[in-house]
């Protein structure tokens, strides 16, 4: 059964305190792994796509990496505006996206 | 920019009513999806469609149906709304192996 597990469920950081969010997955025929940001009451906003192990993508203070079993979203020197829920999703052979339950990040000034 | 538009941000319906949630995308995407999102449960797939008039059940299709008569439009139908269908509903579209784009969500309350 295809599964996506994110950890931790919640994370509180001081402004400037770097950390990482984890997304582990079991899926047959991985077509891609996706990271999204979701603000309260809004739809998820796309951040990154990773297609193969060893791939990395960066955007401002965020960096996503991928291995054969998991992905990390590294947040460097976060700011309060980075506070949001971060969602991980995988796409399997049938074009469906399977989502984890997310990590709720709070960055304290 | 890809745009996925859901017809309502907030809806309040009565138990037993038939409810229609509409979603339109403007990028000619082949795939469209309906999810519901509940605290602690994440996004759960209700139905998806990979072409006009084609549909596939997701993980939680019970109590829902869908319609895709045109490529850009995907409708979710609650045949007889119940209180346990109170949730945030999210529509998304995608093409091939590329990312899915989401609408702003519809918060449905069934009373």
């Amino acid at each position: 059964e295809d599964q996506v597990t994110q950890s931790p469920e919640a994370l509180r950081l001081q402004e400037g305190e770097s950390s990482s969010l984890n997304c582990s997955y079991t899926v047959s025929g991985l077509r891609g792994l996706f990271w999204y940001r979701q603000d309260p009451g809004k739809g998820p906003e796309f951040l990154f796509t990773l297609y193969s192990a060893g791939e990395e993508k960066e955007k401002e203070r965020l960096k996503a990496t991928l291995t054969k079993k998991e992905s990390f979203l590294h947040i460097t020197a976060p700011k309060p505006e980075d506070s949001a829920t971060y969602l991980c999703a995988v796409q399997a052979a049938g074009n469906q996206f399977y989502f984890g339950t997310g990590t709720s990040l709070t960055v304290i000034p | 920019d890809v745009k996925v538009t859901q017809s309502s941000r907030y809806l309040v319906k009565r138990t037993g009513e038939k409810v229609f949630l509409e979603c339109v995308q403007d990028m000619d995407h082949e795939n469209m999806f309906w999810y519901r999102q509940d605290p602690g449960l994440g996004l759960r797939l209700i139905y998806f469609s990979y072409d006009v008039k084609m549909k596939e059940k997701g993980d939680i299709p019970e109590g829902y149906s869908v319609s895709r008569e045109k490529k850009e439009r995907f409708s979710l139908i609650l045949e007889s709304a119940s209180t346990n269908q109170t949730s945030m509903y999210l529509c998304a579209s995608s093409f091939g192996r590329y990312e899915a784009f989401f609408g702003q969500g519809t918060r449905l309350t069934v009373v």
Side-chain angles (χ1 to χ4, degrees):
Chain A
E1 182 181 317
D2 298 333
Q3 282 193 331
V4 180
T5 303
Q6 291 188 247
S7 62
E9 287 187 19
L11 183 63
R12 289 172 64 90
L13 299 174
Q14 292 288 332
E15 184 172 1
E17 180 187 2
S18 301
S19 188
S20 297
L21 283 54
N22 177 262
C23 171
S24 62
Y25 62 91
T26 54
V27 62
S28 53
L30 178 73
R31 299 184 75 195
L33 185 139
F34 306 85
W35 282 98
Y36 289 84
R37 169 192 171 124
Q38 187 175 26
D39 293 303
K42 296 188 176 181
E45 177 186 340
F46 169 72
L47 292 173
F48 302 110
T49 306
L50 301 165
Y51 289 113
S52 56
E55 191 174 358
E56 299 181 352
K57 293 273 180 73
E58 278 189 76
K59 180 180 179 181
E60 296 181 352
R61 295 176 292 282
L62 301 176
K63 179 180 177 180
T65 62
L66 180 65
T67 71
K68 287 188 178 179
K69 293 186 177 180
E70 59 190 349
S71 176
F72 292 93
L73 185 65
H74 306 279
I75 304 176
T76 302
K79 298 182 177 181
E81 53 262 41
D82 295 322
S83 296
T85 295
Y86 291 84
L87 299 170
C88 168
V90 298
Q91 188 186 40
N95 283 344
Q96 300 177 49
F97 294 84
Y98 295 94
F99 282 82
T101 52
T103 293
S104 176
L105 173 67
T106 303
V107 181
I108 304 161
Chain B
D1 279 354
V2 173
K3 194 162 186 180
V4 179
T5 304
Q6 295 182 227
S7 53
S8 304
R9 287 296 306 275
Y10 301 95
L11 275 179
V12 180
K13 297 292 182 180
R14 295 194 178 276
T15 301
E17 275 193 78
K18 191 168 186 176
V19 181
F20 293 86
L21 302 183
E22 306 284 345
C23 176
V24 177
Q25 52 97 0
D26 66 358
M27 282 301 290
D28 202 35
H29 284 171
E30 58 197 14
N31 304 314
M32 295 190 76
F33 309 85
W34 275 106
Y35 293 88
R36 64 176 284 177
Q37 186 175 31
D38 301 287
L41 298 178
L43 275 76
R44 292 180 291 167
L45 182 64
I46 305 171
Y47 269 97
F48 72 101
S49 169
Y50 53 89
D51 201 351
V52 176
K53 297 191 186 293
M54 305 302 289
K55 60 185 178 183
E56 294 284 343
K57 292 180 180 179
D59 298 319
I60 51 164
E62 296 78 20
Y64 304 94
S65 62
V66 290
S67 172
R68 194 169 181 197
E69 296 295 320
K70 294 185 177 181
K71 192 173 186 180
E72 67 270 19
R73 188 178 298 269
F74 193 35
S75 302
L76 180 69
I77 304 152
L78 286 66
E79 298 291 343
S80 177
S82 63
T83 55
N84 63 13
Q85 292 178 311
T86 291
S87 186
M88 169 73 102
Y89 289 86
L90 291 161
C91 174
S93 72
S94 77
F95 174 73
R97 294 179 66 190
Y98 301 103
E99 62 273 16
F101 292 89
F102 283 84
Q104 75 277 31
T106 297
R107 185 164 294 281
L108 172 68
T109 302
V110 182
V111 299

